[in-house]
Amino acid sequence: MGHSHSRTSSAGLDLGHAPNTPAIHRKRSSAFSALTLGCASAPYAVSLPSYGDYPPREDRSSFSDRDEKRSFDPPPLYAISTTPDIIEDAAADRAYKAFLKEFPQYQLTWMLDVLRRSDFSRLDRSGETYVDYMGASIYPESLIRVCHGFLLRNLLGNTHSVSNTSRLSAACANEARQTVLSFFRAPPGYTVVFTANASGALKLVGESFPFGPGSAYVLGADSHNSVHGIRKFAHDRGAEVCYIDATEVGGFDVAHAKDVLARHRPRGKDAPASLFAMTGQSNISNSKNPLSMIEFAAAQGYCTLLDAAALAPTSVISLTETPVDAMAVSFYKMFGFPTGVGALVVKEAFLERLQRPWFAGGTVDVVQAPGKIVTMSAELHERFEDGTINFLSLAPITDGLRFLSAYLPFLPLRLSSLTRHLITSLSDLRHDREGTPVVQILSRQPTKVVKTVGEQSDTGSVVALLFLSPSGQMLPNSFIEHAASRQNISLRTGCMCNPGGAAALLGLRDAMAALPCDATLRAFEQHMDRELGVVRISLGLASDYRDVWRIVQFARLLANTDARTALWDEWLGDRTGVAL
């Protein structure tokens, strides 16, 4: 009477919940399985179920058309050279050889050069230099082909039914949940709630958490707006909101964070629930906060929430080692496709404590109408998935995570080498006539030298910077965006939806504290007499040396007086430039 379909108690026909639904398995290519799981480092691969764990059905009398072989059909490894196509000109060739001499371990990531050719060749065909992986990852071509083929061959229906098409959708959803749990090495007791994105997952926690007088919401200043937004729910219910200050290069000081948590911890086991939300990796400052803080906060009596949207695409996360109560991710940031699907990976015990402010189709079992009686769904995750889930996009989640699992162990080594080289190269540049610096690096710089596959880095692969004029003044970010687009470079400027991190990097914390209640960005910029924000360059899954080389060449172009002046005049002639 409340759910989207009726249930029956007859044996074998109770299809209301996925666990009782007969298994409908999707066959996969053994060739792809060998490629993706075989090349991953052993400690990482063991956490993921092999494709062999999903045997084909014995009964092929139904769903036969929907049980077709699915394959990424990668090119055979022996057919692909392992020497990167770096030689754009003699200068680039010399620079690449010097880079390899400084970072010989980079050659251990040759598998990603193969990937660049097989799945991201359109980057080089288009001539675009993509360095906005914090905004969105680039989707691999093989993932699109596989998903396109699966949808063309099959019929999928709304999961809130018991039809054949609905059962296939439910099977895809269940498989995606299990793959998410396996990818993040979740122990028993976790489940997955599918959302529109990481922001949607964070909002679910914020709107449902039992804040009240005497409880606290503790968060870092260097956090995404979706983490800051939870403070509104806390304020409205009488909870105290406590910030952990950001350092000058983002993130937080561990001793300071522990002090804030200790001062505002719940007093006694009967105290109102308090929540600690931590950003795993800043999307602007490049800082990684230590995951050990989750364990510390839990020991202090806090419920814990991890924003892993920026951390998950290039770092291994083990919920067995870091048993956070809830974690938010967006899949398009991890492997580019599909957009519109994120997840809250969450302990079932934590979900039981949350109090939803409303109910919707799919979340309930019985609704009295008219009346006040509501019985929520017996399945915990269903209580938090409002309406129909994005069932057409869940099969790609399974395939995308399996794809990423093969290459994730290589990413910290590759991206750390590229990031360190990029920072050094940009910092060394000088204006051609005045000899002054071309850029100012603001973000946290890596200190750890990653030397082996599977080793984790101490920062992300983000470089936040300002471009400077010969006199040392900041060049407008809008000018940099204009100049970059003319050079076919996709980067991002602004505050990245992270005002606390941006204020820390730009030295604007006092100005931020003095903002009037009716502040607007335009008024703030007029008060500061300049554009606010940074230029962000972020590397990711498909990045290689050529991308870094082209960014350095772009900066060198801006160091040349004649070239910079020509671009400046062009920008001033643009409608955006005139308006500014």
Side-chain angles (χ1 to χ4, degrees):
M1 297 181 67
H3 202 278
S4 298
H5 65 81
S6 60
R7 296 191 177 101
T8 175
S9 58
S10 302
L13 294 179
D14 184 1
L15 300 179
H17 297 299
N20 295 323
T21 305
I24 302 172
H25 302 289
R26 299 179 299 139
K27 294 180 69 176
R28 291 180 173 80
S29 165
S30 59
F32 178 67
S33 173
L35 173 64
T36 57
L37 299 183
C39 68
S41 61
Y44 189 79
V46 295
S47 69
L48 290 164
S50 166
Y51 284 1
D53 294 339
Y54 298 90
R57 299 187 318 278
E58 294 181 3
D59 180 13
R60 303 188 59 85
S61 59
S62 61
F63 307 105
S64 58
D65 291 338
R66 294 181 292 277
D67 196 28
E68 297 179 18
K69 177 181 177 181
R70 308 175 66 214
S71 172
F72 280 80
D73 297 326
L77 296 185
Y78 60 79
I80 305 176
S81 168
T82 60
T83 302
D85 296 324
I86 295 300
I87 305 176
E88 297 185 349
D89 54 43
D93 183 38
R94 289 192 299 271
Y96 181 60
K97 290 177 180 177
F99 167 75
L100 290 182
K101 187 175 182 179
E102 183 179 4
F103 299 98
Q105 65 269 28
Y106 180 84
Q107 296 176 86
L108 297 174
T109 68
W110 63 267
M111 177 62 77
L112 295 174
D113 292 315
V114 174
L115 183 65
R116 173 88 172 215
R117 288 192 184 90
S118 64
D119 268 279
F120 302 103
S121 58
R122 64 190 185 280
L123 283 171
D124 300 311
R125 290 197 304 270
S126 68
E128 191 74 16
T129 300
Y130 187 84
V131 286
D132 189 23
Y133 287 87
M134 276 288 101
S137 185
I138 299 292
Y139 52 83
E141 295 170 14
S142 55
L143 178 60
I144 302 302
R145 287 196 300 269
V146 130
C147 296
H148 178 257
F150 177 70
L151 292 175
L152 286 180
R153 291 192 299 268
N154 297 297
L155 294 175
L156 287 86
N158 192 309
T159 54
H160 296 157
S161 186
V162 294
S163 66
N164 291 342
T165 56
S166 298
R167 290 169 61 197
L168 180 58
S169 295
C172 290
N174 290 338
E175 186 178 29
R177 285 186 219 279
Q178 291 305 312
T179 305
V180 170
L181 293 173
S182 295
F183 184 87
F184 292 113
R185 306 179 184 183
Y190 277 88
T191 189
V192 175
V193 176
F194 287 117
T195 62
N197 42 42
S199 294
L202 294 167
K203 181 175 181 286
L204 269 182
V205 175
E207 70 181 10
S208 306
F209 192 81
F211 289 118
S215 64
Y217 176 48
V218 180
L219 69 158
D222 184 4
S223 298
H224 192 274
N225 275 334
S226 301
V227 177
H228 293 298
I230 295 175
R231 75 186 186 197
K232 190 160 176 48
F233 297 113
H235 271 307
D236 290 347
R237 296 171 196 161
E240 182 182 13
V241 176
C242 311
Y243 271 99
I244 302 170
D245 293 333
T247 73
E248 292 182 353
V249 288
F252 54 63
D253 176 75
V254 171
H256 171 59
K258 288 183 176 180
D259 178 64
V260 173
L261 287 166
R263 281 190 283 114
H264 300 280
R265 72 181 185 274
R267 306 292 177 175
K269 62 180 181 180
D270 296 326
S274 293
L275 179 65
F276 170 51
M278 190 180 84
T279 297
Q281 177 185 314
S282 170
N283 69 334
I284 188 171
S285 72
N286 201 38
S287 296
K288 283 185 177 181
N289 291 316
L291 296 181
S292 59
M293 288 300 300
I294 296 292
E295 182 180 359
F296 176 84
Q300 296 291 310
Y302 289 89
C303 297
T304 54
L305 173 62
L306 177 65
D307 177 9
L311 181 66
T314 58
S315 301
V316 174
I317 301 174
S318 170
L319 294 177
T320 298
E321 297 177 2
T322 306
V324 66
D325 288 320
M327 179 179 73
V329 295
S330 283
F331 296 111
Y332 75 92
K333 289 184 180 291
M334 299 174 68
F335 40 84
F337 176 85
T339 55
V341 185
L344 183 70
V345 188
V346 57
K347 288 182 179 177
E348 293 175 333
F350 179 71
L351 274 187
E352 291 275 15
R353 301 183 63 179
L354 301 185
Q355 303 164 1
R356 294 224 61 192
W358 83 315
F359 59 86
T363 67
V364 293
D365 192 34
V366 173
V367 175
Q368 182 188 44
K372 296 182 179 180
I373 298 174
V374 178
T375 304
M376 301 302 289
S377 172
E379 289 288 344
L380 276 172
H381 65 259
E382 288 184 356
R383 300 179 191 177
F384 293 84
E385 293 175 340
D386 298 331
T388 300
I389 58 177
N390 194 348
F391 61 88
L392 291 181
S393 295
L394 295 185
I397 301 304
T398 298
D399 295 316
L401 287 173
R402 295 186 185 282
F403 182 94
L404 182 60
S405 71
Y407 304 102
L408 188 58
F410 298 89
L411 287 176
L413 171 57
R414 186 179 187 86
L415 299 180
S416 176
S417 301
L418 291 174
T419 302
R420 292 170 68 91
H421 178 72
L422 176 61
I423 291 172
T424 300
S425 299
L426 291 175
S427 299
D428 288 345
L429 289 178
R430 294 293 183 268
H431 283 284
D432 59 346
R433 297 178 184 175
E434 294 80 5
T436 53
V438 177
V439 306
Q440 178 185 358
I441 305 296
L442 302 175
S443 53
R444 188 180 295 272
Q445 301 183 28
T447 58
K448 177 182 177 181
V449 178
V450 181
K451 295 183 177 180
T452 59
V453 173
E455 187 179 356
Q456 299 301 294
S457 58
D458 60 345
T459 68
S461 50
V462 173
V463 180
L465 68 155
L466 299 177
F467 280 86
L468 306 176
S469 69
S471 63
Q473 293 181 314
M474 168 190 167
L475 290 174
N477 288 335
S478 53
F479 165 66
I480 299 303
E481 279 192 308
H482 170 87
S485 66
R486 291 296 184 270
Q487 300 299 313
N488 297 323
I489 295 174
S490 294
L491 46 72
R492 185 169 173 181
T493 68
C495 293
M496 318 304 161
C497 299
N498 188 334
L505 297 185
L506 294 168
L508 298 176
R509 282 178 285 190
D510 291 341
M512 179 73 75
L515 278 178
C517 60
D518 60 347
T520 64
L521 177 59
R522 187 176 187 86
F524 196 8
E525 288 185 331
Q526 288 176 342
H527 175 71
M528 301 304 300
D529 196 29
R530 63 185 174 94
E531 290 183 8
L532 297 179
V534 302
V535 177
R536 186 183 71 184
I537 297 167
S538 52
L539 308 177
L541 178 61
S543 297
D544 69 6
Y545 180 81
R546 286 169 293 184
D547 300 319
V548 170
W549 166 257
R550 291 164 187 162
I551 293 298
V552 175
Q553 293 307 105
F554 169 67
R556 185 169 282 121
L557 184 72
L558 295 181
N560 181 281
T561 301
D562 294 338
R564 184 181 64 255
T565 300
L567 286 168
W568 183 270
D569 291 342
E570 184 183 73
W571 172 67
L572 288 178
D574 184 82
R575 289 179 61 186
T576 303
V578 171
L580 288 167

